[in-house]
Amino acid sequence: MRGQTGPQGSDTGGYGGGPIITGKGPFPPPLAPVPLSPFVRPMFDDLRDTLRTFGARLDPDERRRMSTGMRDALVHAKLALQDLRTALASTEARLEAERVELDTVRRRQGYAADIGDDETVAIAERFAAQHAERVAMLETKRMAQQQELQLAERDYEAMTQELRRVMSGMAPTDSTPEQAA
């Protein structure tokens, strides 16, 4: 019986069952993915985000431990910000004083040139060059301190946001201050 054809010549494989499945048989082609409507997608995104939020919750002990450490870091960062502001104010005061000195030396140089005192003019030129160099250096220093202060303020804001997140029970994000900016 095996290998024989059954009624109407179909190959039953000798078992009396149905036809042998070869993969090319009467099966329909696989279905193409159906795109979700734009109204359904946000609903699932919100659901997914909510489920992630539940998984990202911190237990109370962990939250206390993290928030204590973050508060300490914020205190140190705030003190550092005050130091940066003080240093910037000091640099700006020195810069203003150097500008006044430069103006004074140039004025005296002009007076000496008016009366024909070449020796005083030469000395005034030397002092004017020194004060001009200090003014340029202090302007560069002030610009660097301003940039450093802006960077520290952004870091402080990012740390504050992370502390708020931890205090609300959420796990801290894995972002860096550069990503925040």
Side-chain angles (χ1 to χ4, degrees):
M1 286 241 183
R2 198 165 230 223
Q4 298 175 358
T5 57
Q8 294 143 358
S10 67
D11 186 4
T12 61
Y15 296 105
I20 295 176
I21 300 173
T22 60
K24 298 179 185 177
F27 298 106
L31 296 175
V34 177
L36 294 176
S37 78
F39 301 107
V40 174
R41 186 176 306 273
M43 178 180 70
F44 289 123
D45 289 344
D46 293 342
L47 177 63
R48 183 185 67 230
D49 293 342
T50 303
L51 291 174
R52 283 184 185 159
T53 301
F54 284 131
R57 290 263 180 213
L58 296 173
D59 67 359
D61 292 334
E62 181 70 12
R63 184 173 61 199
R64 254 184 250 105
R65 185 188 63 76
M66 289 182 79
S67 64
T68 301
M70 293 176 88
R71 279 190 198 115
D72 291 343
L74 273 174
V75 167
H76 291 292
K78 194 168 194 173
L79 291 172
L81 279 173
Q82 290 174 350
D83 290 343
L84 288 172
R85 288 184 183 113
T86 302
L88 180 59
S90 173
T91 299
E92 288 174 341
R94 285 183 55 204
L95 177 59
E96 186 58 33
E98 281 298 323
R99 285 181 176 156
V100 168
E101 285 297 316
L102 179 60
D103 290 342
T104 301
V105 169
R106 287 184 177 158
R107 187 178 66 248
R108 289 180 181 164
Q109 180 183 6
Y111 292 154
D114 288 345
I115 61 170
D117 187 357
D118 294 334
E119 185 179 342
T120 305
V121 169
I123 293 171
E125 285 175 355
R126 187 180 59 182
F127 280 107
Q130 287 175 354
H131 286 292
E133 188 175 355
R134 286 185 190 135
V135 165
M137 180 271 305
L138 288 170
E139 286 174 343
T140 303
K141 183 177 179 178
R142 180 184 65 178
M143 186 172 52
Q145 287 176 326
Q146 287 171 337
Q147 290 173 346
E148 184 179 14
L149 180 60
Q150 289 171 353
L151 178 64
E153 286 172 341
R154 282 195 309 262
D155 288 346
Y156 182 79
E157 278 301 313
M159 291 168 64
T160 302
Q161 290 174 356
E162 282 297 310
L163 177 61
R164 286 184 188 133
R165 183 174 169 83
V166 167
M167 300 262 312
S168 71
M170 302 299 294
T173 60
D174 293 331
S175 64
T176 61
E178 293 81 25
Q179 292 172 340

